[in-house]
Amino acid sequence: MKQISIALATALCLAIAAAPANAQANRNLDIYFLDMAGGGSTLIVTPLAESVLLDTGSLEPQHRDADRIIRACRDAGLKQIDYLVTTHFDSDHFGAILEVSQRIPVKCFVDKGSLPPDGQNTNWFKRLYPLYQQATKGQVKTLRAGEDIPLKNDPGGKIPPIKLHCVASEKKIEGFEGDIDAAVAGCQIRKPDTSDNARSIALVLTCGEFQFFAGGDITWNVEHHLAHPVNRIGNVDLYQVTHHGLDLSNNPLFLKALSPTVCVAMNGPRKGIEPNTFKALNALPSIKAIYQIHYNTQYGDAGNTEPEFIANPKEDPKEGQYIKVSVHPENGNCTISIGPGGPKRTFAIQ
Ligand SMILES: [Zn+2]
């Protein structure tokens, strides 16, 4: 893949940061978890109305995921996406990128800088990757562990500082130089994961006292080293349940290190939120609510939260309702609703 230089990309991104097109300041930090029916797409809109889209769902069924992303952008009042981050190259995370970029301008594309070593010869990759190249036109910023996406902050200091920081990318962790797959005495390390999941970009968004973790589809051993022996992230208020809630991820050691107050699982009707993950989340003393994008048809009560926390209770809903989290950094609360008009619940930030 053609990469632009970091200096050029940073200059480009800083220029964008200096002049966001979505001029209407929002004051809240809004996070929309979009129904990609088992894929990934999360839209972040900062208090200064900058926007970050993490992943773009699947190409098929045709238009479904792009329609849902564009609808969320419209509900958020966006006229452009400032940063579009592709966490990794799986079909459920970048499939709709071309259609999305044709329907709303994208100012800066971001990815982890290399293609999946194990999956480049698959038919779906050969079909989707040219669409990615067409969308990005080869202008992509590589995001490495330890780097930030340079979001704009309030020069007057009235809005609490906001920071979007990459803690893992390409199976490398900020501050850890060792072998991620090497055995660790007294801990469960799994067989090396050679898939692109382990190489996902993992991000921590901080706004004042509020912290949100979104780790794409990173798997068990990467999670281990983010949590042990040093808790490199600390506690978070909001956790996007990693890898749709699959047991390949969601290492209990990591979940305990994060100790989230609320979590949202990007599961599908028949994908994700597996019983071990669900049990581990429920066992966290910190957890106040588990939200799911979908009802899980596979595991009954062993894989489903209470109905009022499930955005899409039907197997194939036409609407594809999102979950919206509005963070009010100044008063220390976040409010969560299902869809634009659904009932709201408020949780205190830790
Ligand atoms: Zn995925």
Side-chain angles (χ1 to χ4, degrees):
M1 148 186 9
K2 188 182 165 202
Q3 297 289 344
I4 54 176
S5 74
I6 291 180
L8 177 62
T10 304
L12 175 68
C13 291
L14 285 172
I16 292 158
N22 308 301
Q24 186 66 45
N26 186 31
R27 293 281 165 173
N28 289 339
L29 165 67
D30 291 332
I31 303 169
Y32 299 78
F33 296 91
L34 308 184
D35 176 22
M36 302 285 108
S41 188
T42 307
L43 176 66
I44 299 166
V45 184
T46 75
L48 291 177
E50 274 193 298
S51 55
V52 182
L53 182 66
L54 307 177
D55 293 327
T56 46
S58 302
L59 180 64
E60 286 161 341
Q62 231 190 354
H63 310 307
R64 182 196 66 190
D65 289 358
D67 281 349
R68 291 174 181 184
I69 291 167
I70 296 301
R71 195 174 74 217
C73 290
R74 194 186 59 216
D75 287 358
L78 299 179
K79 294 189 172 53
Q80 69 177 33
I81 293 166
D82 293 306
Y83 300 94
L84 195 162
V85 181
T86 297
T87 62
H88 65 296
F89 291 102
D90 272 349
S91 59
D92 56 330
H93 290 261
F94 77 107
I97 192 166
L98 179 59
E99 187 177 349
V100 169
S101 68
Q102 287 170 337
R103 291 172 65 180
I104 185 166
V106 176
K107 301 307 284 186
C108 187
F109 292 92
V110 178
D111 70 25
K112 61 195 177 53
S114 79
L115 301 183
D118 64 326
Q120 288 182 49
N121 292 321
T122 56
N123 286 337
W124 67 260
F125 187 83
K126 285 180 186 163
R127 191 163 151 244
L128 289 186
Y129 190 61
L131 306 182
Y132 185 80
Q133 291 174 300
Q134 202 183 326
T136 62
K137 301 180 178 66
Q139 301 291 299
V140 185
K141 181 194 181 315
T142 298
L143 188 67
R144 298 188 174 86
E147 294 179 342
D148 288 345
I149 291 177
L151 294 177
K152 192 182 177 200
N153 270 295
D154 176 16
K158 286 188 181 144
I159 298 170
I162 188 158
K163 184 177 167 79
L164 185 54
H165 186 67
C166 176
V167 291
S169 177
E170 273 297 297
K171 218 174 171 180
K172 294 201 167 24
I173 289 174
E174 183 184 13
F176 176 74
E177 300 296 331
D179 176 1
I180 277 175
D181 296 315
V184 177
C187 294
Q188 192 192 352
I189 291 289
R190 291 186 174 171
K191 281 191 285 189
D193 177 1
T194 58
S195 76
D196 216 39
N197 293 321
R199 299 170 184 274
S200 294
I201 287 175
L203 294 165
V204 177
L205 176 68
T206 307
C207 183
E209 299 296 311
F210 172 83
Q211 279 222 118
F212 166 49
F213 177 79
D217 287 356
I218 59 165
T219 44
W220 191 276
N221 296 354
V222 175
E223 293 176 318
H224 173 94
H225 291 289
L226 285 170
H228 184 85
V230 182
N231 182 356
R232 298 176 193 276
I233 296 171
N235 294 353
V236 302
D237 302 282
L238 177 65
Y239 170 54
Q240 177 175 305
V241 181
T242 300
H243 207 175
H244 320 282
L246 293 173
D247 293 346
L248 290 168
S249 308
N250 297 289
N251 184 333
L253 198 71
F254 178 64
L255 297 183
K256 209 168 167 203
L258 293 184
S259 285
T261 305
V262 182
C263 63
V264 179
M266 308 287 281
N267 65 305
R270 289 173 297 282
K271 176 183 173 186
I273 199 93
E274 290 182 299
N276 282 341
T277 295
F278 190 60
K279 201 169 153 192
L281 290 169
N282 271 301
L284 293 171
S286 61
I287 203 85
K288 298 278 193 296
I290 299 172
Y291 279 81
Q292 289 175 214
I293 282 288
H294 265 277
Y295 180 75
N296 182 343
T297 61
Q298 302 177 104
Y299 306 114
D301 288 347
N304 282 295
T305 185
E306 292 87 349
E308 60 266 38
F309 299 104
I310 299 177
N312 296 286
K314 292 182 200 149
E315 184 163 342
D316 187 23
K318 286 210 167 55
E319 282 299 306
Q321 213 57 280
Y322 55 67
I323 294 170
K324 180 181 177 185
V325 179
S326 272
V327 181
H328 322 285
E330 284 147 348
N331 69 17
N333 290 328
C334 68
T335 300
I336 305 184
S337 58
I338 291 174
K344 294 180 165 60
R345 286 183 180 76
T346 298
F347 300 87
I349 291 170
Q350 287 178 8

